[in-house]
């Protein structure tokens, strides 16, 4: 996954908020920038400038990015509402120079029509020159307090109780970029203060703002992310259980090494609590719903954290390897682990497959899938492992006959000779 550089310090607040929102949407796609640029198709350099805030993208590009992020994510609250994104887009356009504003609107053809410039007036007589277009002015309504000063005070831990009040005042003036800036500042605070800000937002009924704060807090370093999850678990409020699930889901979509490191930090906290709810297992369970390539990367990263066995079991318990195409996905994961040299993780996956009391049809399906990915030793060893796990003579004979009917004579002979214990 691409790591984006820090935004320019002199970037206007409106453009910074739009760039942060686009980065969050692109992060949900879980796709490299090169691959996404080729799929559109779109110039990679232009997309980099869009995500860096140096250029405002066409509105159609923003809509497609949001739609694909909504299809990828498992929680609707993690994707910004289209109306809020439109307001943020309009604010960024207002902060741009008139020429950039005009060119963007002409090339993007945004919808709805409220984002378009006002229709030009009727032309005068031909001999008279056209009046020069007026520069778009920002919202003339003043903000009753200095945003920079309030952000600095929130950085020092002040005004957290006033955060809902300040957000509503900004929303009443349609200053959505400043709203996001305040939420980002609050999400970057130490864990107790960020959690306090989250509770204030929930108490005030600002659900979308609370979900945005949780999603942005999931981008913190692994140690801070683990502390945030433990704080949400230790809260007595029932609503925090939903926020905890959203938080773990957002963390699970990060880079594989970050997911593995966060799981290790959570496992340390789970051991200190002495049993009960295992947050590291829940995190890796959700991470198991990602693509086969990401699952293999997470399993490989878990081996470097000392959680090879338990971590792989948790990831393999996800929905991704238990669907209709379970056989092909399992074989693909084993092939990728073979290429990475992760033999211990490979053994754990095989043990989990056999432990689930695999049926005869699934044995044949996985054996064929292992042959397709060129893993003949594992294909020949799977049948005897399944026989030893069940310790049933009649089941062994049925499996041998089924393998012979499927044309897998070598595997059938190995199963027929396999001991029951």
């Amino acid at each position: 996954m691409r790591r984006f550089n820090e935004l320019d310090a002199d970037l206007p607040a409106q453009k910074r908020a739009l760039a942060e929102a686009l980065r969050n949407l692109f992060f949900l796609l879980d796709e490299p920038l090169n691959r996404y640029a080729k799929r559109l198709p779109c110039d990679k350099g232009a997309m980099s400038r869009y995500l860096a805030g140096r250029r405002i993208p066409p509105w159609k590009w923003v809509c497609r990015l949001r739609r694909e992020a909504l299809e990828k994510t498992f929680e609707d609250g993690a994707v910004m509402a289209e109306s809020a994104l439109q307001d943020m887009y309009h604010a960024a356009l207002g902060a741009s120079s008139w020429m950039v504003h005009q060119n963007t609107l002409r090339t993007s053809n945004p919808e709805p029509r409220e984002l378009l410039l006002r229709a030009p007036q009727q032309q005068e007589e031909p001999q008279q020159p056209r009046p020069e277009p007026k520069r778009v002015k920002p919202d003339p309504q003043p903000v009753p307090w200095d945003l920079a000063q309030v952000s600095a005070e929130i950085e020092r831990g002040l005004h957290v109780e006033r955060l809902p009040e300040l957000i509503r005042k900004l929303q009443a003036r349609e200053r959505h970029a400043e709203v996001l800036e305040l939420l980002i500042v609050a999400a970057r605070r130490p864990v107790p203060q960020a959690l306090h800000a989250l509770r204030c937002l929930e108490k005030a009924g600002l659900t979308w703002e609370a979900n945005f704060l949780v999603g942005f807090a999931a981008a913190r370093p692994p140690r801070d992310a683990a502390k945030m999850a433990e704080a949400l678990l230790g809260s007595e409020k029932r609503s925090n259980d939903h926020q905890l699930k959203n938080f773990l889901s957002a963390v699970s979509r990060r880079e594989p090494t970050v997911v593995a490191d966060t799981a290790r930090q959570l496992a340390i906290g789970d051991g200190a609590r002495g049993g009960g709810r295992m947050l590291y297992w829940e995190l890796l369970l959700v991470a198991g719903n990602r693509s086969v390539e990401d699952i293999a990367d997470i399993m490989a990263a878990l081996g470097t954290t000392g959680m090879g066995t338990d971590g792989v079991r948790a990831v393999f318990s996800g929905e991704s390897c238990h669907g209709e195409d379970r056989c092909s996905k399992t074989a693909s994961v084993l092939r990728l682990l073979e290429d990475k040299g992760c033999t211990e993780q490979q053994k754990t996956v095989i043990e989990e497959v056999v432990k689930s009391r695999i049926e005869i049809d699934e044995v044949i399906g996985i054996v064929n899938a292992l042959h397709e990915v060129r893993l003949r030793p594992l294909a020949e060893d799977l049948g005897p492992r399944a026989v030893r796990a069940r310790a049933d003579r009649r089941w062994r004979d049925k499996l041998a006959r089924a393998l012979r009917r499927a044309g897998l004579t070598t595997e059938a002979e190995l199963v027929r000779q396999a001991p029951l214990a």
Side-chain angles (χ1 to χ4, degrees), residues 333-343 346 375 378:
V333 170
L334 291 172
R335 175 74 266 177
L336 292 171
L337 292 175
E338 178 83 10
D339 295 339
K340 295 176 184 296
C342 302
T343 56
Q346 197 179 56
L375 289 177
L378 292 181

Side-chain angles (χ1 to χ4, degrees), residues 312-332:
V312 169
R313 288 176 53 231
V315 175
F316 190 74
S317 300
E319 294 292 336
S320 180
C321 293
H322 291 78
E324 296 179 356
D325 52 349
R326 171 182 178 177
C327 298
S328 61
K329 285 186 176 180
T330 302
S332 299

Side-chain angles (χ1 to χ4, degrees), residues 325-396:
D325 52 349
R326 171 182 178 177
C327 298
S328 61
K329 285 186 176 180
T330 302
S332 299
V333 170
L334 291 172
R335 175 74 266 177
L336 292 171
L337 292 175
E338 178 83 10
D339 295 339
K340 295 176 184 296
C342 302
T343 56
E344 293 299 324
Q345 290 90 326
Q346 197 179 56
K347 292 179 182 179
T348 303
V349 171
I350 290 292
E351 291 174 359
E352 287 300 305
V353 170
V354 175
K355 187 188 300 182
S356 60
R357 296 299 182 183
I358 186 171
E359 300 296 334
I360 293 177
D361 293 339
E362 294 185 15
V363 173
I364 298 175
I366 295 179
V367 169
N368 284 321
L370 289 172
H371 279 294
E372 291 178 2
V373 297
R374 302 180 302 280
L375 289 177
R376 183 180 181 86
L378 292 181
E380 294 177 348
D381 188 52
L382 182 63
R385 277 179 174 270
V387 170
R388 290 193 295 270
R390 298 190 68 124
D392 188 341
R393 184 183 300 275
R394 290 182 299 178
W395 191 85
R396 180 185 64 180

Side-chain angles (χ1 to χ4, degrees), residues 56-63 82 86 89-90 93 101-117:
I56 299 179
W59 177 247
K60 289 184 179 179
W61 186 87
V62 177
C63 290
E82 185 176 358
Q86 288 173 0
Y89 184 84
H90 198 188
L93 289 177
H101 190 176
Q102 182 77 358
N103 291 338
T104 303
L105 289 174
R106 183 167 59 249
T107 57
S108 61
N109 188 20
E111 295 291 344
R113 297 186 178 276
E114 285 76 8
L115 294 178
L116 296 174
L117 292 177

